[in-house]
Amino acid sequence: GPEPSFITARVIADTGGAFAHSLILNAGSRDGVRKGQAAVTGRGLVGRIAGVGTRSARILLITDLNSRIPVMVGANPTRAILAGNNSDRPKLVHLPSGETVAVGDRVVTSGHGGALPRGLAVGVVTQVNENGIRVQPFTRRSRLEYIRLLDFGLDGILKGPLPKSAPAGKKRGRPGNTKARR
């Protein structure tokens, strides 16, 4: 596929806690950040952009309870959903019946839904038992300092709101002082 464009940003806040796993970056819409962009490090997927301001953006981490990412598992790719659960090891859910997953199987994004591209490294299966299938992400939240935001030009399911148009008869532009300068 086409080469993605990217933006590198620094983590300036970890807003996470017991109930949320997200990070704040020092790049926003003025830098080209858009909702839905993949957030990665050299090791793999960290999350995706969930909110964008003018000068900052929020990443929803793959470990967050609200995160659901379509993935493929193992050498004979099995489709599943990586579901964050506010722990360091998210679960694999919605596996097709009859499919087997083993400890050590690699997990990558599937590209389904058009939100993320296919093949981004996510993690490795570390637990398979009656309590579920757990994945150890390749990246650790505590070690995140710089993040690369990839833009593959995918809109998928995360389309943002359309820009508001200016009311008829009014000009768009910077608000300014109408008094004459001296």
Side-chain angles (χ1 to χ4, degrees), residues 106-165:
R106 186 175 164 91
V107 179
V108 298
T109 57
S110 70
H112 290 94
L116 296 171
R118 180 183 180 122
L120 294 178
V122 175
V124 65
V125 175
T126 57
Q127 177 184 339
V128 179
N129 60 26
E130 64 278 349
N131 294 329
I133 301 168
R134 298 285 184 134
V135 173
Q136 174 65 54
F138 287 132
T139 58
R140 294 198 177 153
R141 176 177 161 189
S142 62
R143 297 186 180 183
L144 297 174
E145 189 173 349
Y146 288 93
I147 305 287
R148 183 164 283 176
L149 305 174
L150 302 179
D151 187 354
F152 287 88
L154 301 172
D155 286 330
I157 59 173
L158 298 174
K159 292 180 183 171
L162 295 173
K164 294 179 182 177
S165 60

Side-chain angles (χ1 to χ4, degrees), residues 35-91:
K35 186 175 179 179
Q37 289 176 326
V40 301
T41 66
R43 304 196 74 166
L45 183 68
V46 173
R48 65 177 175 248
I49 297 296
V52 180
T54 305
R55 297 178 181 211
S56 63
R58 184 174 65 88
I59 297 175
L60 180 69
L61 299 176
I62 62 175
T63 55
D64 188 276
L65 183 64
N66 296 307
S67 177
R68 300 290 184 270
I69 297 173
V71 295
M72 295 185 302
V73 185
N76 296 326
T78 300
R79 291 183 189 179
I81 299 291
L82 182 73
N85 55 4
N86 284 352
S87 78
D88 290 337
R89 294 197 174 142
K91 287 186 170 185

Side-chain angles (χ1 to χ4, degrees), residues 176-182:
N177 188 348
T178 57
K179 294 181 181 178
R181 291 189 174 182
R182 296 179 205 206

